[in-house]
Amino acid sequence: MSPVLATRRAFLTLTGAAAVAVGCGRATGGGSGGSTDTLRYQGWAGQVTPAELAEELGYLEGVKLKWVGNTISGPQDIQSAASGEVDFGGAFNGAVIKLAAAKAPVTAVISYYGSDRDAYHGFTTLDDGSVRTARDLIGKKVGMNTLGAHAEAMLDIYLQREGLSEKEAERVERLVVPPVNIEQTLRKQQIHLGALDGVLREKALERGGVRVLFSDHAILGDSSAGTYVIADRFIDRNPETVRAFVTGVGRAIEWARAAPRAEVVELKKKVIRDRGRNEDTAALAHWRSYGVAGTGGRIAPKELNLWLDWLRKRGDIKAGQVKVSDIYTNEFNDSPKTAEPRNEKRD
């Protein structure tokens, strides 16, 4: 089995397992089966998520977060939310749709990351390399953090929009490369294009010799790309807890959008220092934005329909298997619907 097929099959197995676990009744509020004002979650090493920022800002209105460990995978995080091992998890919207297609009873409640002028995936190549256009990628290798998720989706859309046929696009080889190794692998010419974001993209560009061929922001404009999901059973038992959580996260997203960037970075550093997990804060100096498009993280149907169409074309889900309106809600988001003006002096 090819690496691409193996990865896709593994993810479908993962989402199927989540559906089975939830069907067995494991998705219980706070792990107790009753109401709770505490939400268990997984974090990301060296990062401060919108949920963690909301807690630090005091926006959660009495709701407490309980960290149970870190994750390195959005699909794993939402599978844990579906199975009841945590109370919310976040992932790329395509992964959320796959989870819904696997009949896992979860609902997307707020967007938490995306692409804008400051936060984007830059598909990076060598300045003096042979890749100048999409057609130059035929027969070439593209490195990304995982297959079947955001980076591969953006590559597929780019190739299609640039006029490559399906057969030509299939000849563009996708490889899984740990994000911290993508720049080095590119410079050694072991890959011809690498998907970089955040501090990894900024540092690569600072060192020179590379350029961005295309980005997800150039293709989609401002667009939210991932959502937090919560198991339906938890929502049913804890609607006010969910409302306080979602509203608080929405307020934190808007605070981070409007505040001077240096102020946001300093607060994030404080969060990391205070939680005492032996994490490096150096990467936060390159933080620019969460990239969330909708005011307060409100979810727009088009942000899910884009990936639903992509998954159908790939044959990962069948027509009519998933209805977008059934898998998300903005009902619990009471954050202000009008954003404060953004402080343009981000640096």
Side-chain angles (χ1 to χ4, degrees):
M1 184 183 299
S2 72
V4 172
L5 289 177
T7 302
R8 291 174 182 169
R9 180 170 294 180
F11 181 76
L12 290 173
T13 300
L14 176 70
T15 53
V20 171
V22 174
C24 292
R26 294 178 58 198
T28 56
S32 65
S35 61
T36 181
D37 60 1
T38 300
L39 286 87
R40 298 161 301 148
Y41 78 102
Q42 297 180 113
W44 294 79
Q47 298 184 32
V48 178
T49 66
E52 292 169 325
L53 183 65
E55 183 176 48
E56 177 66 21
L57 290 167
Y59 287 169
L60 296 186
E61 302 294 339
V63 170
K64 298 180 287 291
L65 301 184
K66 182 179 180 181
W67 176 72
V68 299
N70 285 332
T71 184
I72 58 171
S73 164
Q76 184 276 333
D77 198 27
I78 61 174
Q79 186 261 344
S80 295
S83 66
E85 294 171 43
V86 296
D87 299 315
F88 72 91
F92 160 61
N93 281 331
V96 173
I97 291 170
K98 279 189 173 182
L99 194 64
K103 305 301 182 185
V106 297
T107 298
V109 293
I110 189 170
S111 297
Y112 75 102
Y113 85 89
S115 297
D116 62 16
R117 65 185 185 184
D118 294 320
Y120 60 90
H121 279 73
F123 286 74
T124 308
T125 189
L126 296 177
D127 268 341
D128 58 358
S130 60
V131 175
R132 300 286 165 180
T133 69
R135 194 158 294 278
D136 294 332
L137 290 170
I138 296 174
K140 301 295 198 305
K141 297 176 181 179
V142 181
M144 57 192 69
N145 66 325
T146 188
L147 301 180
H150 185 92
E152 188 176 13
M154 295 316 306
L155 177 63
D156 284 349
I157 293 171
Y158 169 72
L159 297 176
Q160 179 186 20
R161 293 188 179 183
E162 292 298 309
L164 271 67
S165 68
E166 287 188 18
K167 288 186 177 180
E168 288 172 329
E170 287 174 359
R171 293 177 55 199
V172 179
E173 185 176 357
R174 287 92 161 152
L175 296 176
V176 174
V177 181
V180 295
N181 299 128
I182 286 178
E183 181 189 352
Q184 180 183 23
T185 307
L186 175 65
R187 293 187 187 277
K188 288 185 175 181
Q189 301 184 49
Q190 295 170 327
I191 59 175
H192 303 89
L193 191 71
L196 292 170
D197 68 345
V199 60
L200 297 177
R201 182 195 66 246
E202 294 292 325
K203 285 189 173 182
L205 293 174
E206 284 176 5
R207 280 187 276 267
V210 298
R211 58 187 167 79
V212 174
L213 178 67
F214 73 95
S215 70
D216 52 359
H217 185 247
I219 293 174
L220 301 177
D222 291 354
S223 178
S224 296
T227 47
Y228 282 148
V229 305
I230 299 178
D232 293 341
R233 186 176 301 182
F234 187 97
I235 293 173
D236 291 343
R237 290 173 172 168
N238 304 278
E240 293 311 309
T241 296
V242 172
R243 186 175 303 279
F245 169 73
V246 173
T247 299
V249 172
R251 291 177 62 196
I253 287 169
E254 289 309 311
W255 180 84
R257 195 195 311 273
R261 189 182 71 85
E263 184 178 347
V264 182
V265 169
E266 284 306 309
L267 186 61
K268 283 170 168 276
K269 288 181 178 180
K270 176 182 181 299
V271 171
I272 287 180
R273 289 193 300 266
D274 288 352
R275 68 194 185 193
R277 299 177 197 163
N278 195 29
E279 299 164 280
D280 188 357
T281 63
L284 288 176
H286 295 266
W287 181 88
R288 302 290 177 188
S289 167
Y290 285 122
V292 176
T295 304
R298 287 175 177 81
I299 303 167
K302 66 179 182 180
E303 295 165 347
L304 293 166
N305 277 314
L306 174 71
W307 308 116
L308 179 58
D309 291 343
W310 176 68
L311 290 167
R312 284 173 182 157
K313 290 176 182 177
R314 282 164 53 102
D316 287 348
I317 62 174
K318 298 177 182 178
Q321 189 175 355
V322 175
K323 188 177 179 182
V324 163
S325 59
D326 292 339
I327 63 177
Y328 85 96
T329 182
N330 290 313
E331 174 189 354
F332 299 99
N333 195 335
D334 290 338
S335 63
K337 293 185 178 181
T338 302
E340 294 183 17
R342 173 173 172 161
N343 188 317
E344 295 299 329
K345 297 181 179 179
R346 300 290 284 174
D347 295 314

